[in-house]
Amino acid sequence: MNGRYARNVALAEIGEAGQHRINAGRVLIVGAGALGSVTGLYLAGAGVGHIGVADFDTVDVSNLQRQIAYTEADAGCRKAEVLCARMRALNSDVDVRPICKMVTRHNLNEIVSGYDVVADCSDNAATKHFLAGAVTALGKVCVTAGVSRFTAQVTTSVPGGASFGDIFGDASPAADGCGGILPCQSEGVLGPAAGVAAACQGAEVLKVLAGAGKTLAGRLLLIDTLDFSTVTLSMS
């Protein structure tokens, strides 16, 4: 086993068998913004073997407050391509693929077909509603993260189980926001709160791949960084 992953292997819940599963894992990251740019680095660092990054947007200086994989020099560049370059620089063993397009109902099957797990790092509620249900309908796991102002949100949808839509109800344009509930352009978002959500999402994806611990399937984790209160809601 590659010494690079020794700290993962040392975890009894992962071990060599779990690390092999991580190395063989295929994860699609949807959205390379505040959530995806951090989640992607953690997954690459952990040795997830094949990672796709789907995002149609370019880097803007207003992103840099929270999208810390990017620099001022990246302004105007495609996020998916820049993030994949950062991931390759972190771990050359990982196969990464930029997908510079929006994931929609029309191309979802084509894009998702080659992956086992989807990390939903999208920045609006409408996408999250359709993505979780559509991904699980294809027999795959969807780990959804979001951030609203100071609050990180993470949940996992599995085939046959509850999904994002079961928590928040029908999608509404008024609910579209920076990864969750409120629009970050007007309401704001704390950069490290996005980092908390992304770190939890990365941990959840690795647990799913390795078969370690208890996932957030059927549960919603809320972490309020303003007072560091934590709530886990059951969807059952």
Coordinates of all heavy atoms in Angstrom, one line a residue, residues 8-82:
N8 N -4.6 7.1 6.5 CA -5.9 6.5 6.3 C -5.9 5.0 6.7 O -6.8 4.6 7.4 CB -6.3 6.6 4.8 CG -6.9 7.9 4.4 OD1 -7.1 8.8 5.2 ND2 -7.2 8.1 3.1
V9 N -4.9 4.3 6.3 CA -4.8 2.9 6.6 C -4.7 2.6 8.1 O -5.2 1.6 8.6 CB -3.6 2.3 5.8 CG1 -3.3 0.9 6.2 CG2 -3.8 2.4 4.3
A10 N -4.1 3.6 8.8 CA -3.9 3.4 10.2 C -5.3 3.5 11.0 O -5.4 3.0 12.1 CB -3.0 4.5 10.8
L11 N -6.3 4.0 10.3 CA -7.6 4.1 10.9 C -8.2 2.7 10.8 O -8.4 2.2 9.7 CB -8.5 5.1 10.2 CG -8.1 6.6 10.3 CD1 -8.8 7.4 9.3 CD2 -8.3 7.1 11.7
A12 N -8.6 2.1 12.0 CA -9.1 0.7 12.0 C -10.4 0.6 11.2 O -10.6 -0.4 10.6 CB -9.4 0.3 13.4
E13 N -11.1 1.7 11.1 CA -12.4 1.7 10.4 C -12.2 1.7 8.8 O -13.1 1.4 8.1 CB -13.3 2.8 10.7 CG -13.7 2.8 12.2 CD -12.7 3.4 13.1 OE1 -11.6 3.7 12.7 OE2 -13.0 3.5 14.3
I14 N -11.0 2.0 8.4 CA -10.7 2.0 7.0 C -9.7 0.9 6.6 O -10.0 0.0 5.9 CB -10.1 3.4 6.6 CG1 -11.2 4.5 6.7 CG2 -9.6 3.4 5.1 CD1 -10.8 5.9 6.3
G15 N -8.5 0.9 7.2 CA -7.5 -0.1 6.9 C -7.2 -0.2 5.5 O -7.5 0.6 4.6
E16 N -6.4 -1.3 5.1 CA -6.0 -1.4 3.7 C -7.1 -1.7 2.8 O -7.2 -1.2 1.7 CB -4.9 -2.6 3.7 CG -3.6 -2.2 4.2 CD -2.5 -3.1 3.7 OE1 -2.7 -3.9 2.8 OE2 -1.4 -3.0 4.3
A17 N -8.1 -2.5 3.3 CA -9.2 -2.9 2.4 C -10.0 -1.6 2.1 O -10.4 -1.5 0.9 CB -10.1 -3.9 3.1
G18 N -10.3 -0.8 3.1 CA -11.0 0.4 2.8 C -10.3 1.4 1.9 O -10.9 2.0 1.1
Q19 N -9.0 1.5 2.1 CA -8.2 2.3 1.2 C -8.2 1.8 -0.2 O -8.3 2.6 -1.2 CB -6.8 2.5 1.7 CG -5.9 3.4 0.9 CD -6.5 4.9 1.0 OE1 -6.8 5.4 2.0 NE2 -6.5 5.5 -0.2
H20 N -8.2 0.5 -0.4 CA -8.3 0.0 -1.8 C -9.6 0.4 -2.4 O -9.7 0.7 -3.6 CB -8.1 -1.5 -1.7 CG -6.7 -2.0 -1.6 ND1 -5.7 -1.7 -2.6 CD2 -6.1 -2.8 -0.7 CE1 -4.6 -2.2 -2.2 NE2 -4.8 -2.9 -1.1
R21 N -10.7 0.4 -1.6 CA -12.0 0.8 -2.1 C -12.0 2.2 -2.5 O -12.6 2.6 -3.5 CB -13.1 0.4 -1.1 CG -13.4 -1.1 -1.0 CD -14.6 -1.3 -0.2 NE -14.4 -1.1 1.2 CZ -14.0 -2.0 2.1 NH1 -13.8 -3.2 1.7 NH2 -13.9 -1.7 3.4
I22 N -11.3 3.1 -1.7 CA -11.2 4.5 -2.0 C -10.4 4.7 -3.3 O -10.8 5.5 -4.1 CB -10.5 5.2 -0.8 CG1 -11.4 5.3 0.4 CG2 -10.1 6.7 -1.2 CD1 -10.8 5.8 1.7
N23 N -9.3 4.0 -3.4 CA -8.5 4.1 -4.6 C -9.2 3.7 -5.9 O -9.0 4.1 -7.0 CB -7.2 3.3 -4.5 CG -6.3 3.8 -3.4 OD1 -5.5 3.0 -2.8 ND2 -6.3 5.1 -3.2
A24 N -10.2 2.7 -5.7 CA -11.0 2.3 -6.8 C -12.2 3.1 -7.1 O -12.9 2.9 -8.0 CB -11.3 0.8 -6.6
G25 N -12.5 4.0 -6.1 CA -13.7 4.8 -6.2 C -13.8 5.7 -7.4 O -12.8 6.2 -7.9
R26 N -15.0 6.0 -7.8 CA -15.3 6.9 -8.9 C -16.4 7.9 -8.4 O -17.5 7.6 -8.1 CB -15.8 6.2 -10.1 CG -14.9 5.0 -10.6 CD -15.4 4.3 -11.8 NE -15.4 5.2 -13.0 CZ -14.3 5.3 -13.8 NH1 -13.2 4.6 -13.6 NH2 -14.4 6.1 -14.8
V27 N -15.9 9.2 -8.3 CA -16.8 10.2 -7.7 C -16.9 11.4 -8.7 O -16.0 11.9 -9.2 CB -16.2 10.8 -6.4 CG1 -17.1 11.9 -5.8 CG2 -16.1 9.6 -5.4
L28 N -18.2 11.8 -8.9 CA -18.5 13.0 -9.7 C -18.8 14.2 -8.7 O -19.7 14.1 -7.9 CB -19.7 12.8 -10.6 CG -20.1 14.0 -11.4 CD1 -19.1 14.4 -12.4 CD2 -21.5 13.7 -12.0
I29 N -18.0 15.3 -8.9 CA -18.3 16.5 -8.1 C -19.1 17.4 -9.0 O -18.6 17.8 -10.1 CB -17.0 17.2 -7.7 CG1 -16.2 16.2 -6.7 CG2 -17.3 18.5 -7.0 CD1 -14.8 16.7 -6.4
V30 N -20.3 17.8 -8.6 CA -21.1 18.7 -9.3 C -21.0 20.1 -8.7 O -21.5 20.3 -7.6 CB -22.6 18.3 -9.4 CG1 -23.4 19.3 -10.2 CG2 -22.7 16.9 -10.0
G31 N -20.3 21.0 -9.4 CA -20.1 22.3 -8.8 C -18.7 22.5 -8.3 O -18.3 21.7 -7.4
A32 N -17.9 23.4 -8.8 CA -16.6 23.6 -8.3 C -16.4 25.0 -7.6 O -15.4 25.6 -7.8 CB -15.6 23.5 -9.5
G33 N -17.4 25.3 -6.9 CA -17.4 26.6 -6.1 C -16.8 26.4 -4.7 O -15.9 25.7 -4.5
A34 N -17.5 27.1 -3.8 CA -17.0 27.1 -2.4 C -17.0 25.7 -1.8 O -16.1 25.3 -1.0 CB -17.9 28.0 -1.5
L35 N -17.9 24.8 -2.2 CA -18.0 23.5 -1.7 C -17.1 22.5 -2.5 O -16.2 21.8 -1.9 CB -19.4 22.9 -1.7 CG -20.4 23.8 -0.9 CD1 -21.8 23.3 -1.2 CD2 -20.2 23.7 0.6
G36 N -17.3 22.5 -3.8 CA -16.6 21.6 -4.6 C -15.1 21.8 -4.6 O -14.3 20.8 -4.7
S37 N -14.6 23.0 -4.5 CA -13.2 23.3 -4.6 C -12.5 22.7 -3.4 O -11.3 22.3 -3.5 CB -12.9 24.8 -4.7 OG -13.4 25.5 -3.6
V38 N -13.2 22.7 -2.3 CA -12.5 22.1 -1.0 C -12.8 20.6 -1.0 O -11.8 19.8 -0.8 CB -13.1 22.7 0.2 CG1 -12.6 22.0 1.5 CG2 -12.8 24.2 0.3
T39 N -14.0 20.1 -1.3 CA -14.3 18.7 -1.3 C -13.3 18.0 -2.3 O -12.8 16.9 -2.0 CB -15.7 18.4 -1.7 OG1 -16.6 19.0 -0.7 CG2 -16.0 16.9 -1.8
G40 N -13.1 18.6 -3.4 CA -12.3 17.9 -4.5 C -10.9 17.7 -4.0 O -10.2 16.7 -4.2
L41 N -10.3 18.7 -3.3 CA -8.9 18.6 -2.8 C -8.8 17.5 -1.7 O -7.9 16.7 -1.7 CB -8.5 19.9 -2.2 CG -8.3 21.0 -3.2 CD1 -7.9 22.3 -2.5 CD2 -7.2 20.7 -4.3
Y42 N -9.8 17.4 -0.9 CA -9.8 16.3 0.1 C -9.9 14.9 -0.5 O -9.2 14.0 -0.1 CB -10.9 16.5 1.2 CG -10.5 17.4 2.3 CD1 -11.2 18.5 2.6 CD2 -9.5 17.0 3.1 CE1 -10.9 19.3 3.7 CE2 -9.1 17.8 4.2 CZ -9.8 19.0 4.5 OH -9.4 19.8 5.5
L43 N -10.8 14.8 -1.5 CA -10.9 13.5 -2.2 C -9.7 13.1 -2.9 O -9.3 11.9 -2.9 CB -12.2 13.5 -3.1 CG -13.5 13.8 -2.4 CD1 -14.6 13.7 -3.4 CD2 -13.7 12.8 -1.3
A44 N -9.1 14.1 -3.6 CA -7.8 13.8 -4.3 C -6.7 13.4 -3.4 O -6.0 12.5 -3.6 CB -7.4 15.0 -5.2
G45 N -6.6 14.2 -2.3 CA -5.6 13.9 -1.3 C -5.8 12.5 -0.7 O -4.8 11.8 -0.4
A46 N -7.0 12.0 -0.5 CA -7.3 10.7 0.1 C -7.1 9.6 -0.9 O -7.1 8.4 -0.5 CB -8.7 10.7 0.6
G47 N -6.9 9.9 -2.2 CA -6.6 8.9 -3.2 C -7.8 8.3 -3.9 O -7.7 7.2 -4.5
V48 N -8.9 9.1 -4.0 CA -10.1 8.6 -4.8 C -9.6 8.4 -6.2 O -9.1 9.4 -6.8 CB -11.3 9.5 -4.7 CG1 -12.4 9.1 -5.6 CG2 -11.8 9.6 -3.2
G49 N -9.7 7.2 -6.8 CA -9.1 6.9 -8.0 C -9.5 7.7 -9.2 O -8.7 8.1 -10.1
H50 N -10.8 8.0 -9.4 CA -11.3 8.7 -10.5 C -12.3 9.7 -10.1 O -13.3 9.4 -9.4 CB -12.0 7.7 -11.5 CG -11.1 6.5 -11.9 ND1 -10.3 6.6 -12.9 CD2 -11.0 5.3 -11.3 CE1 -9.6 5.4 -13.0 NE2 -10.0 4.6 -12.1
I51 N -12.0 11.0 -10.4 CA -12.9 12.1 -10.0 C -13.2 13.0 -11.2 O -12.3 13.4 -11.9 CB -12.2 13.0 -8.9 CG1 -11.7 12.1 -7.8 CG2 -13.1 14.1 -8.5 CD1 -10.8 12.9 -6.7
G52 N -14.5 13.2 -11.4 CA -15.0 14.1 -12.4 C -15.4 15.4 -11.8 O -16.0 15.4 -10.7
V53 N -15.2 16.5 -12.4 CA -15.6 17.8 -11.9 C -16.5 18.5 -12.9 O -16.0 18.9 -14.0 CB -14.4 18.7 -11.5 CG1 -14.9 20.1 -11.0 CG2 -13.5 18.1 -10.4
A54 N -17.7 18.7 -12.6 CA -18.7 19.3 -13.6 C -19.0 20.7 -13.1 O -19.6 20.9 -12.1 CB -19.9 18.4 -13.7
D55 N -18.6 21.7 -13.9 CA -18.9 23.1 -13.6 C -18.7 23.9 -14.9 O -17.7 23.7 -15.6 CB -18.0 23.6 -12.5 CG -18.5 24.9 -12.0 OD1 -18.6 25.9 -12.7 OD2 -18.8 25.0 -10.8
F56 N -19.7 24.7 -15.2 CA -19.6 25.5 -16.5 C -19.1 26.9 -16.2 O -18.9 27.7 -17.2 CB -21.0 25.6 -17.1 CG -22.0 26.4 -16.2 CD1 -22.2 27.8 -16.4 CD2 -22.7 25.8 -15.2 CE1 -23.1 28.5 -15.6 CE2 -23.5 26.5 -14.4 CZ -23.7 27.9 -14.6
D57 N -18.9 27.3 -15.0 CA -18.6 28.7 -14.6 C -17.1 29.0 -14.7 O -16.2 28.1 -14.8 CB -19.1 29.0 -13.2 CG -19.3 30.4 -13.0 OD1 -19.2 31.3 -13.9 OD2 -19.7 30.8 -11.8
T58 N -16.7 30.3 -14.6 CA -15.4 30.7 -14.6 C -15.1 31.4 -13.2 O -16.0 31.8 -12.5 CB -15.0 31.7 -15.7 OG1 -15.9 32.8 -15.6 CG2 -15.2 31.0 -17.1
V59 N -13.8 31.5 -12.9 CA -13.4 32.1 -11.6 C -13.6 33.7 -11.7 O -13.2 34.3 -12.6 CB -12.0 31.8 -11.3 CG1 -11.5 32.4 -10.0 CG2 -11.8 30.3 -11.2
D60 N -14.2 34.2 -10.6 CA -14.3 35.6 -10.5 C -13.7 36.0 -9.1 O -13.7 35.2 -8.2 CB -15.8 36.0 -10.5 CG -16.0 37.5 -10.4 OD1 -16.0 38.2 -11.5 OD2 -16.2 38.1 -9.3
V61 N -13.1 37.2 -9.1 CA -12.5 37.6 -7.8 C -13.4 37.6 -6.6 O -13.0 37.4 -5.5 CB -11.8 39.0 -8.0 CG1 -10.6 39.0 -8.9 CG2 -12.8 40.1 -8.4
S62 N -14.7 37.8 -6.9 CA -15.7 37.7 -5.8 C -15.8 36.3 -5.2 O -16.3 36.2 -4.0 CB -17.1 38.2 -6.2 OG -17.6 37.3 -7.2
N63 N -15.3 35.3 -5.9 CA -15.4 33.9 -5.4 C -14.3 33.7 -4.3 O -14.4 32.8 -3.5 CB -15.1 33.0 -6.5 CG -16.1 33.1 -7.7 OD1 -15.8 32.8 -8.8 ND2 -17.4 33.4 -7.4
L64 N -13.2 34.4 -4.4 CA -12.0 34.1 -3.6 C -12.2 34.1 -2.1 O -11.4 33.6 -1.4 CB -10.8 34.9 -4.1 CG -10.5 34.9 -5.6 CD1 -9.3 35.8 -5.9 CD2 -10.3 33.5 -6.1
Q65 N -13.2 34.8 -1.6 CA -13.4 34.9 -0.2 C -13.7 33.5 0.4 O -13.5 33.3 1.6 CB -14.6 35.9 0.0 CG -15.2 35.9 1.4 CD -16.6 35.2 1.5 OE1 -17.0 34.6 0.5 NE2 -17.2 35.2 2.6
R66 N -14.2 32.6 -0.4 CA -14.6 31.3 0.1 C -14.2 30.1 -0.8 O -14.1 29.0 -0.4 CB -16.1 31.2 0.2 CG -16.9 31.4 -1.1 CD -18.3 31.9 -0.9 NE -19.0 32.1 -2.2 CZ -18.8 33.2 -2.9 NH1 -18.0 34.2 -2.5 NH2 -19.4 33.4 -4.1
Q67 N -13.8 30.4 -2.1 CA -13.4 29.3 -3.0 C -11.9 29.3 -3.0 O -11.2 29.8 -4.0 CB -14.0 29.6 -4.4 CG -15.5 29.6 -4.3 CD -16.2 29.8 -5.6 OE1 -15.6 29.6 -6.7 NE2 -17.5 30.3 -5.6
I68 N -11.3 28.7 -2.0 CA -9.9 28.9 -1.7 C -9.0 28.0 -2.5 O -7.7 28.1 -2.4 CB -9.6 28.7 -0.2 CG1 -10.1 27.3 0.2 CG2 -10.3 29.7 0.6 CD1 -9.7 26.9 1.7
A69 N -9.5 27.2 -3.4 CA -8.6 26.5 -4.4 C -8.1 27.4 -5.5 O -7.2 27.0 -6.2 CB -9.4 25.3 -5.0
Y70 N -8.7 28.6 -5.6 CA -8.4 29.5 -6.7 C -7.6 30.7 -6.2 O -7.5 31.0 -5.1 CB -9.7 30.0 -7.4 CG -10.6 28.8 -7.8 CD1 -11.9 28.7 -7.3 CD2 -10.1 27.8 -8.6 CE1 -12.7 27.7 -7.6 CE2 -10.9 26.7 -9.0 CZ -12.2 26.7 -8.4 OH -13.0 25.6 -8.8
T71 N -6.9 31.3 -7.2 CA -6.1 32.5 -6.9 C -6.5 33.7 -7.8 O -7.3 33.4 -8.8 CB -4.6 32.3 -7.1 OG1 -4.3 32.1 -8.5 CG2 -4.1 31.0 -6.4
E72 N -6.0 34.8 -7.6 CA -6.3 36.0 -8.5 C -5.9 35.7 -9.9 O -6.6 36.2 -10.8 CB -5.6 37.2 -7.9 CG -6.1 37.7 -6.6 CD -5.4 38.9 -6.1 OE1 -4.4 39.4 -6.7 OE2 -5.8 39.5 -5.1
A73 N -4.8 35.0 -10.1 CA -4.4 34.7 -11.4 C -5.3 33.8 -12.2 O -5.2 33.7 -13.4 CB -3.0 34.0 -11.4
D74 N -6.3 33.1 -11.5 CA -7.2 32.2 -12.2 C -8.5 32.9 -12.7 O -9.3 32.3 -13.3 CB -7.6 31.1 -11.2 CG -6.5 30.2 -10.8 OD1 -5.6 29.9 -11.6 OD2 -6.4 29.9 -9.6
A75 N -8.6 34.2 -12.4 CA -9.8 35.0 -12.8 C -10.0 34.8 -14.3 O -9.1 35.0 -15.1 CB -9.7 36.4 -12.4
G76 N -11.3 34.5 -14.6 CA -11.6 34.3 -16.0 C -11.4 32.9 -16.5 O -11.9 32.6 -17.6
C77 N -10.7 32.0 -15.8 CA -10.5 30.6 -16.2 C -11.6 29.7 -15.8 O -12.3 30.0 -14.8 CB -9.2 30.1 -15.6 SG -7.7 31.1 -16.1
R78 N -11.8 28.6 -16.5 CA -12.8 27.7 -16.1 C -12.5 27.0 -14.8 O -11.5 26.4 -14.6 CB -13.0 26.6 -17.2 CG -13.6 27.2 -18.5 CD -13.7 26.1 -19.5 NE -14.3 26.6 -20.8 CZ -15.6 26.7 -21.1 NH1 -16.5 26.4 -20.2 NH2 -16.0 27.1 -22.3
K79 N -13.5 27.0 -13.9 CA -13.3 26.4 -12.6 C -13.0 24.9 -12.6 O -12.1 24.5 -11.9 CB -14.5 26.7 -11.7 CG -14.8 28.1 -11.3 CD -16.0 28.2 -10.4 CE -16.3 29.6 -10.0 NZ -17.5 29.8 -9.2
A80 N -13.7 24.2 -13.5 CA -13.5 22.8 -13.5 C -12.0 22.5 -14.0 O -11.4 21.6 -13.4 CB -14.4 22.1 -14.5
E81 N -11.5 23.2 -14.9 CA -10.1 22.9 -15.4 C -9.1 23.3 -14.3 O -8.1 22.6 -14.1 CB -9.9 23.7 -16.7 CG -10.8 23.2 -17.8 CD -10.6 24.0 -19.1 OE1 -10.0 25.1 -19.1 OE2 -11.0 23.5 -20.2
V82 N -9.3 24.5 -13.7 CA -8.4 24.9 -12.7 C -8.4 24.0 -11.5 O -7.3 23.6 -11.0 CB -8.7 26.4 -12.2 CG1 -7.8 26.8 -11.1 CG2 -8.6 27.3 -13.4

